[in-house]
Amino acid sequence: MKTLRITFPYMGNYVHAFRGLLEDLGYEVVMPVKPSKRTLDLGVKYAPEFSCLPYKIVLGTYLETLPKGVDRIVTSGGVGPCRAGLYASLHEKILKKMGYNVEFIVLEPPLVDLKGFYKTVQKLNYKNYSLWYIYKAIKRNWRKIKALDTIEQKALFLRPRELKKGSVSAKYKEVLQYVINAYSEKEIDEAEQEALKQLDKIPVDLEKLVVKVGMVGEIYVLLEPSSNFEIEETIGHLGAEVKRSMFLTGWTRDNTLPGKSEELVSVKAAAKPYLPELIGGHGQDSIGNAILYIKQGFDGLIQLAPFTCIPEIVARTILTKISQEHNFPILTFFLDEQTGKAGMETRLEAFIDLLKRKKLQKLSKS
Amino acid sequence: MNAPVIGIARTLNYYAYYPFWQGFFDSLNLKTVVSSPTTKEILDQGVKDALAEACLPIKLFFGHIATLKTKVDYLFIPRIVNLNRKTVYCPKFLGLPDMIKYSYENLPPVIDIRVDNRNLKDSLLISSLKLASFFGFSKLQGFKAYREGIRRQNLYENLLQKGYLPVNEVNVNSPKLFSVKSSFKIALLGYPYLVYDNYVNLKILEFLHKNNVQVLTAEQVPWPIRNKYAPFTNKKRLFWTFSDRVLSSFQYFLKNVPDLKGIIHLTAFGCGPDFIVDRIMEIDAGEQQIPYLTLTIDEHTGEAGLVTRVEAFLDMIKRKSR
């Protein structure tokens, strides 16, 4: 049987776990290129004007990757009311119109339609591996995703405290490779331990005054650094610790397994007084997490949203009130292809400065 | 004590579901006030009050609420989630009462009852009974009011299917404007709060009327028929009720109106779902070689510019068919 060539949208470090899983399923993986200016330009050229930034980046990624020869694209679906649930359908239509004959495999949330999910997985499993084999492959790569998340969180903690600017980012990039190159669960375990050990060796100042910033918003712009101009790195270098509200591990668990994790339940509960309705995307999560961050004593919040993102617009309207009521600084970035890194950095600098001054005032009073 | 006055905005759900609520409140002898038809001042106010990134229809809604809030005892902003058991409303509709509540100070109480026909607890009937009991009426009175609402809503939907175009005003008892019947048929597709609001649509309905064009709108295709035309690819349908309505009626017109001359998509700046709707229609209409025009309206769009484009579109069609 011919080995099929497959690709998928680029999303943070996770692409390495996706690659591992698909290779285990017998595919030749055509790795999507890390999104660049060229990717976005391509997306902007062929996507509808009012589509959101993630839509444009993903379309651009496909257009960069497809000329290399691709039989299949695997991506996520969704049941709404966020637009992202229809992106694959529209991407497919636009690509067909442009003459690309590529088969889309869209993974819908299994909780909504278990039978449909099983059928999709069987289609993806074109080499007919046993369910046990697939289970093991998923388990192994899931372990990899968890390791990638753990290391990233460590880097987010260390970055604002590093003594030499840039040392964490450099080391992080290096140790990430350990995990990327590991295959078995045992190897991943060891790679993770080694990576954390190496990161711990970086000289840091644990006594330094560091402000804590929560980060909420739409999942793609949160998880794909090229879509947000590596905002977390910038914030870290400004001397603030970022706590991101979403990692793929938590998100996937809540969308695939029955029963919700404790975090998710409390996020929804926290959002309820302000926004009782699930409005799709992560609008309700943005509100809930904001409240939780306030309770946990964070110094400020950053909301990342693609321009025209409906759930985040609803959330922003309500966050304004929450910010007033709790005297809690919130900065929102609506990201589109016009957003520039320099402008963003200036706004971040001013924001982090404000948080630091507020914190010092509070400390001197007490 | 005087009977309370309930304020309703003349936008968004107004052009779709007003007859139900009017019938309901009338039956209970409750006084309602509808904001005046959209004006420049209303839109300007909304632009000022709403988040800059919000879409035009939401800004418009803010503007209408701003004119109502000092004149009424209650603001009626029901959270309509689902009525047809298949699709939900745009996320901005779902968060509407919250956006309003957290954006204005000193608001009269907002009635934000939830309607979701997918579950019994929040179905239109149960929510209507709750609403009636909130105003001190019995379940029986509430049920009668619900029945009256449904009666008027059905009347209204029948009128729409026959070609009634409710310009600025939804009036079941003395419907005024009917579209001309003509062999020059144009589908004017868009959400009811754009198509039927004479300020927002920049009088395009009047213009087409004057030019003897028969206007086909999404509301003219009954739900059971539309439902069959809903899926577009992957057997998926659009999630949002009004978008689903536009796209499915589009598919119906494309396949069932042989003398369809062209399609105009009326859309608003910043509309989230519409980029999907628009691109699908553009591609499909292109494949059938049906002329297709997108008109995007924002707070700066002028009537003259828009009319020129529609004129050019009609001219192009006439040239083509000669």
Side-chain angles (χ1 to χ4, degrees), chain A residues 260-278 284-292 295 322:
Chain A
K260 302 282 177 190
S261 70
E262 209 177 299
E263 295 102 296
L264 194 75
V265 172
S266 56
V267 169
K268 299 266 179 267
K272 246 196 170 137
Y274 292 93
L275 182 63
E277 191 71 35
L278 182 75
Q284 208 185 20
D285 307 62
S286 291
I287 303 276
N289 279 309
I291 298 292
L292 293 183
K295 281 190 182 153
I322 291 175

Side-chain angles (χ1 to χ4, degrees), chain B residues 8-297:
Chain B
I8 297 175
R10 193 187 293 261
T11 183
L12 296 190
N13 278 324
Y14 172 80
Y15 293 98
Y17 304 117
Y18 177 70
F20 176 82
W21 299 112
Q22 188 56 52
F24 178 85
F25 289 126
D26 280 356
S27 166
L28 298 174
N29 278 320
L30 287 169
K31 194 167 175 243
T32 53
V33 168
V34 180
S35 55
S36 66
T38 306
T39 58
K40 184 171 184 312
E41 290 70 36
I42 290 179
L43 181 56
D44 286 349
Q45 189 64 45
V47 168
K48 219 172 104 194
D49 294 347
L51 191 69
E53 283 78 8
C55 61
L56 184 86
I58 292 296
K59 291 176 177 167
L60 199 59
F61 187 80
F62 272 74
H64 277 274
I65 291 294
T67 68
L68 275 174
K69 65 185 167 73
T70 52
K71 296 183 200 147
V72 297
D73 301 302
Y74 294 96
L75 283 172
F76 184 61
I77 313 177
R79 195 191 302 276
I80 313 278
V81 180
N82 165 291
L83 288 172
N84 58 18
R85 289 168 204 240
K86 299 266 189 209
T87 55
V88 298
Y89 291 79
C90 165
K92 281 180 204 159
F93 280 55
L94 305 187
L96 207 51
D98 314 295
M99 286 203 278
I100 294 294
K101 273 192 266 182
Y102 295 112
S103 295
Y104 289 112
E105 308 282 338
N106 306 322
L107 276 185
V110 172
I111 300 175
D112 62 348
I113 53 156
R114 187 173 186 274
V115 179
D116 184 351
N117 274 347
R118 289 169 304 181
N119 65 59
L120 199 60
K121 188 169 78 74
D122 291 321
S123 70
L124 185 58
L125 172 60
I126 301 295
S127 296
S128 302
L129 296 181
K130 279 189 207 157
L131 183 59
S133 89
F134 173 82
F135 285 108
F137 295 96
S138 70
K139 283 213 165 57
L140 182 66
Q141 285 167 311
F143 182 68
K144 279 185 179 157
Y146 165 83
R147 287 284 297 270
E148 175 62 13
I150 293 284
R151 189 186 72 82
R152 289 206 207 168
Q153 186 66 26
N154 287 340
L155 261 176
Y156 178 59
E157 288 179 13
N158 281 331
L159 283 168
L160 286 171
Q161 283 164 28
K162 285 187 201 138
Y164 168 50
L165 301 170
V167 180
N168 275 351
E169 189 179 43
V170 171
N171 192 336
V172 185
N173 296 322
S174 50
K176 269 177 277 180
L177 188 79
F178 273 77
S179 155
V180 286
K181 295 273 179 235
S182 142
S183 62
F184 201 99
K185 293 192 180 73
I186 294 279
L188 177 64
L189 297 173
Y191 305 137
Y193 45 88
L194 300 177
V195 171
Y196 304 128
D197 185 321
N198 208 34
Y199 179 82
V200 178
N201 73 24
L202 299 151
K203 301 188 178 151
I204 185 176
L205 274 181
E206 280 179 16
F207 178 81
L208 292 171
H209 202 78
K210 264 188 264 163
N211 283 275
N212 204 34
V213 172
Q214 182 174 344
V215 177
L216 308 179
T217 65
E219 285 71 26
Q220 289 169 16
V221 187
W223 160 252
I225 295 176
R226 234 171 34 223
N227 200 21
K228 276 189 252 166
Y229 286 86
F232 65 108
T233 41
N234 298 346
K235 301 237 159 37
K236 258 192 173 176
R237 69 193 295 155
L238 294 177
F239 306 141
W240 317 282
T241 306
F242 288 135
S243 311
D244 178 70
R245 184 184 288 185
V246 164
L247 190 61
S248 55
S249 62
F250 161 83
Q251 309 277 17
Y252 171 81
F253 289 141
L254 212 56
K255 291 179 184 108
N256 296 281
V257 182
D259 55 346
L260 184 66
K261 293 283 195 290
I263 292 154
I264 297 176
H265 182 209
L266 196 62
T267 175
F269 185 83
C271 174
D274 256 0
F275 87 82
I276 297 181
V277 178
D278 189 62
R279 184 55 65 93
I280 297 171
M281 294 204 296
E282 189 194 330
I283 292 176
D284 288 357
E287 274 165 12
Q288 307 272 327
Q289 299 190 339
I290 304 264
Y292 181 82
L293 174 70
T294 306
L295 293 177
T296 309
I297 296 169

